[in-house]
Amino acid sequence: MKRNKNMEKKLQKLLYRSFDEPLSQEEQVKLKTALKSSEELLREKEKITWVRNAISAETGQKFSPFFADRIMRKIRMQKEDLAGKIDDFNISLILSFRKIALAGVVTVLLLLSTNFISQGGLSVDKAMALQQITIEDTWSLNTLISEVVK
Amino acid sequence: MTDEQIIEEIKNGNDSAFRELILRYESIVAATVIGMLGNCAEMDDVGQEVFIRFYNSIDNFRGESSVGTYLTRIAINLSLNELKRRKRHNLFFSRPSEAGIDMADNNENNSYHEKKEIVHAAIQKLNAKHRSVIVLRMIDGYSTRETATILKIPSGTVLSRLARAQIKLKEILAPYILGVL
């Protein structure tokens, strides 16, 4: 009884597979013989064929009209949006750079004017706070020591 | 123009070539998306998203698979995402049957519904895994191996899912089958 059930299951599996894969010669003969002898298996084949035919007829589906146009519009909008985002980034970059540049100019002017007021002129030496020294002075040990001591 | 030429044109910035590609593959994508989701409000959005994703990743398309297979893969993935979203949504907001057709009612009122609608509703009763193999193999007409490649599962799994799905469909459609056979 159990053996028969197992055999039935195997044949049913073979039947289902026959719709989707080519069977070997041996399997084909086995299925053909089984279909001839089993009314139940033959009925099963008819049912599956009906189901498959009905589903295969589900082709020819379409989206709503102007489907392609709607996609093309979306793509255009996507491109414009991207271009807009790039423009926004460039504008914000220029604006923030402008602020930084302005702050830098103001700082330099402030430093120069402070220097001018405290040193009484705008020579490079004064601006850089350098003293007029000779090479001999630079290498003189005494000068160096006295500077350190100071 | 061949698909390869169209792809080359799109890569060169020719948008009208992309329009041509949409017209060429609309029915394939529609069969997959509508097969997976049914006739619903979201089907158009998912269909559009399939083509937009393809457009945005056109530079990554190397032609290893055909355009149709590539689009079908995107369509299946987006449809599965949509089904997951629906499932999450249904956890919080109870919603009437997705299929919209009560099969028990149909039993008494066969003539009212078209055979196509009944079959369509039956497909919607399958779970996502079974539905995807049925749509790819039986509606889109891909081979078992192609279906396995698209779904990234072994061919054996495709065959067993197909068998289980057909048994389920046979059960759902039993009243109609018996009426015909």
Side-chain angles (χ1 to χ4, degrees):
Chain A
M1 181 80 174
K2 203 178 174 186
R3 214 178 134 203
N4 268 352
K5 265 242 164 166
N6 274 345
M7 193 61 189
E8 257 176 48
K9 264 197 161 179
K10 274 186 182 171
L11 284 169
Q12 201 184 40
K13 236 180 165 179
L14 198 64
L15 173 70
Y16 278 96
R17 198 151 68 80
S18 69
F19 286 98
D20 297 299
E21 251 191 4
L23 300 180
S24 68
Q25 197 76 28
E26 191 192 336
E27 286 172 330
Q28 278 177 28
V29 173
K30 200 173 168 184
L31 185 62
K32 212 173 172 181
T33 317
L35 282 168
K36 269 183 189 166
S37 60
S38 166
E39 187 73 29
E40 203 182 329
L41 196 68
L42 190 67
R43 194 136 180 81
E44 182 76 6
K45 189 187 174 184
E46 283 172 352
K47 283 179 189 173
I48 292 299
T49 309
W50 188 93
V51 168
R52 292 181 75 101
N53 287 343
I55 293 170
S56 302
E58 283 284 295
T59 49
Q61 302 276 16
K62 282 255 169 195
F63 290 116
S64 46
F66 308 111
F67 179 73
D69 294 323
R70 274 179 282 134
I71 295 176
M72 294 314 292
R73 200 182 316 133
K74 271 195 175 177
I75 285 172
R76 254 196 314 277
M77 278 164 64
Q78 184 183 289
K79 276 183 178 176
E80 283 166 12
D81 198 33
L82 188 72
K85 273 182 186 161
I86 291 169
D87 281 350
D88 287 349
F89 176 73
N90 287 342
I91 288 166
S92 60
L93 193 75
I94 289 166
L95 284 176
S96 39
F97 180 76
R98 241 188 230 171
K99 282 176 192 164
I100 292 165
L102 198 70
V105 168
V106 169
T107 310
V108 169
L109 283 174
L110 268 172
L111 281 172
L112 287 175
S113 52
T114 310
N115 214 297
F116 180 75
I117 293 163
S118 61
Q119 302 292 324
L122 257 184
S123 70
V124 176
D125 289 344
K126 279 175 184 166
M128 304 295 282
L130 292 174
Q131 291 174 355
Q132 285 291 332
I133 48 172
T134 61
I135 293 172
E136 288 80 18
D137 288 339
T138 312
W139 292 101
S140 154
L141 192 63
N142 285 339
T143 317
L144 204 66
I145 291 166
S146 66
E147 282 297 318
V148 170
V149 170
K150 261 185 202 172
Chain B
M1 229 181 344
T2 64
D3 281 357
E4 288 77 19
Q5 286 169 326
I6 288 187
I7 297 292
E8 213 45 53
E9 285 289 315
I10 300 166
K11 282 182 181 176
N12 291 332
N14 181 356
D15 280 353
S16 60
F18 188 63
R19 196 174 188 285
E20 168 70 30
L21 187 111
I22 297 170
L23 295 173
R24 198 173 281 191
Y25 287 100
E26 180 186 343
S27 58
I28 289 179
V29 173
T32 308
V33 173
I34 299 171
M36 288 297 289
L37 304 178
N39 262 305
C40 59
E42 298 89 10
M43 68 178 201
D44 254 38
D45 292 337
V46 174
Q48 285 180 33
E49 188 60 22
V50 170
F51 284 102
I52 290 171
R53 290 257 175 125
F54 181 70
Y55 182 83
N56 289 337
S57 60
I58 194 103
D59 290 327
N60 300 330
F61 182 74
R62 311 246 175 273
E64 285 151 359
S65 57
S66 71
V67 177
T69 309
Y70 197 80
L71 284 167
T72 306
R73 192 178 295 152
I74 302 175
I76 280 284
N77 288 337
L78 291 180
S79 301
L80 289 172
N81 288 349
E82 175 57 26
L83 289 175
K84 274 185 204 159
R85 194 196 62 80
R86 268 188 203 173
K87 207 175 173 182
R88 276 200 304 271
H89 185 269
N90 289 349
L91 280 177
F92 297 103
F93 311 100
S94 61
R95 187 165 137 163
S97 165
E98 268 180 26
I101 294 173
D102 190 335
M103 303 308 282
D105 287 349
N106 282 345
N107 197 13
E108 295 163 3
N109 199 9
N110 263 358
S111 57
Y112 183 72
H113 296 288
E114 294 282 328
K115 180 181 169 189
K116 208 173 164 116
E117 278 179 48
I118 295 162
V119 172
H120 205 74
I123 296 170
Q124 301 308 306
K125 297 243 170 196
L126 297 174
N127 69 30
K129 281 180 183 174
H130 291 159
R131 205 185 298 179
S132 51
V133 288
I134 288 288
V135 168
L136 291 172
R137 176 77 185 105
M138 295 185 197
I139 299 178
D140 291 349
Y142 286 108
S143 70
T144 317
R145 195 178 289 179
E146 284 167 330
T147 303
T149 312
I150 291 170
L151 295 174
K152 291 179 181 166
I153 53 173
S155 292
T157 311
V158 172
L159 286 170
S160 61
R161 282 186 190 174
L162 272 172
R164 270 186 231 127
Q166 285 174 95
I167 291 170
K168 182 94 177 134
L169 282 170
K170 199 182 68 186
E171 284 167 13
I172 298 169
L173 295 167
Y176 310 99
I177 302 173
L178 292 174
V180 177
L181 294 178

